[in-house]
Amino acid sequence: MEPLSASVDDDFGVERSTIGTSLLSLEDPIMEEGEESASTSSGEPSAFAPESIPPRPFREPASSKYSPLPWQGHFDGEHDILIQSTGEVFHVYVAGSQGPVVVCLHGGGYSGLSFALVAGKMKERVRVVAIDMRGHGQSRSNNDHDLSAETLSSDVLNVLKTMYGENPPAFILIGHSMGGAIAVRVAAERVLPTLAGIVVVDVVEGTAMASLIHMQKILSSRQMHFQSPEQAIMWTVKGGGALRNIDSARISVPSTLKFDEQRQCYVWRTPLQDSEAYWRGWYEGLSDVFLSCPVAKLLLLAGTDRLDRSLTIGQMQGKFQMIVVRHSGHAIQEDEPEEFANVVLNFIARNRIGTYGLEIPGVRRPIQLRSSN
């Protein structure tokens, strides 16, 4: 706070000068010519000498508080995966060197960096692969606007086949929101012979379908233009955005932006409002398909009121594990990365998922997972 410098009027209408000058005139003795003003008559420094005034506490500038952070240190590397049959390139972030592979699929409008903090907390025990889906992040496809469930599921299968060939390790699919719907569709195809588990994050068919009629209104209320990535990060955590964890937002939000040369500002990389034709296909029938997946299943929610009838019955029958993180927003993996990582690692341990399959005590080689058609 800057010191007062303009003159002010007291309660009686008498003009007086700055507060600092008033204090000096009241407390300091009148100085003789040649006497130093910074000392008292005893030779001690005056309380009002510049060197006696304590420095102001440091306040981080707002632009610094919301500046982008690097993903390095959380993920170990990044790769561009070329799909030979189509010429499309999918960007992936990887972490870890041992254990089963946790494949992370982000929600609509997010990117693979949505799982950065989680990857850093899990990579000592598992391998993490986070994919920038078609039309998101740094992936480049022949048609970024085709976000149909069939196309996105095919993309995931193509990336995993290209990365791991004919002898893949055990996979655990994790999908958030739209990515959760795609993870379920991939699992339901039963073409991943080593698929060992699936984790769906905060998406339920009943709630999703009911909210579709409001989605365009929600999307139209978003701020669409930003002068800088810092402004977008600030809006995401303080304005109408969906994130509560500023550290995660500083890593993930910049990857969801692109610079518009015509408007000379930053805009969202993915125009979600243009994908309305595919929304119903993501979520319709999702609960029954999820329950039919022949692998270990975990549903991770931010609120218990999101269960629909099919999932309520399935949960009572013990067909899947459900955990609620009550103090989180929609993006649980970003808001509560430590709790999220612990839940996933416990799920893997509970279901005895090893590097190449189910690890049973007393059996030297893991049981290979083969999904039947």
Side-chain angles (χ1 to χ4, degrees), residues 210-246:
S211 66
L212 290 184
I213 59 174
H214 308 292
M215 192 55 61
Q216 282 290 2
K217 183 177 181 180
I218 294 172
L219 291 175
S220 64
S221 67
R222 297 196 306 168
Q223 184 171 335
M224 302 299 291
H225 308 95
F226 305 94
Q227 293 303 311
S228 66
E230 287 84 352
Q231 189 182 67
I233 294 168
M234 182 183 298
W235 178 85
T236 302
V237 296
K238 298 187 68 175
L243 301 184
R244 302 180 182 182
N245 186 329
I246 187 173

Side-chain angles (χ1 to χ4, degrees), residues 15 112 213 258 326 346:
E15 183 175 342
I213 59 174
K258 66 178 181 179
R326 301 182 185 277
N346 288 337

Side-chain angles (χ1 to χ4, degrees), residues 34-62:
E35 187 175 358
E36 293 186 7
S37 61
S39 301
T40 64
S41 57
S42 62
E44 296 295 328
S46 167
F48 301 100
E51 63 270 19
S52 300
I53 301 175
R56 296 177 184 174
F58 173 75
R59 292 185 179 180
E60 187 177 23

Side-chain angles (χ1 to χ4, degrees), residues 111-236:
S111 79
L113 291 181
S114 177
F115 292 90
L117 295 186
V118 167
K121 297 179 182 302
M122 295 198 303
K123 65 182 181 180
E124 296 301 321
R125 294 172 57 183
V126 298
R127 287 172 282 178
V128 181
V129 174
I131 305 174
D132 279 347
M133 305 287 276
R134 174 185 297 259
H136 295 75
Q138 297 184 53
S139 290
R140 305 184 299 278
S141 72
N142 298 328
N143 183 359
D144 279 356
H145 297 285
D146 181 5
L147 300 182
S148 66
E150 295 77 14
T151 298
L152 295 178
S153 298
S154 178
D155 290 342
V156 173
L157 291 171
N158 286 336
V159 168
L160 295 181
K161 184 176 181 179
T162 302
M163 291 183 69
Y164 296 101
E166 299 300 326
N167 295 299
F171 291 123
I172 298 96
L173 294 177
I174 296 181
H176 167 237
S177 196
M178 177 198 77
I182 302 308
V184 170
R185 306 296 182 188
V186 170
E189 291 188 29
R190 304 190 182 190
V191 295
L192 285 178
T194 57
L195 181 63
I198 180 171
V199 180
V200 174
V201 184
D202 211 46
V203 58
V204 169
E205 178 187 351
T207 304
M209 294 297 291
S211 66
L212 290 184
I213 59 174
H214 308 292
M215 192 55 61
Q216 282 290 2
K217 183 177 181 180
I218 294 172
L219 291 175
S220 64
S221 67
R222 297 196 306 168
Q223 184 171 335
M224 302 299 291
H225 308 95
F226 305 94
Q227 293 303 311
S228 66
E230 287 84 352
Q231 189 182 67
I233 294 168
M234 182 183 298
W235 178 85
T236 302

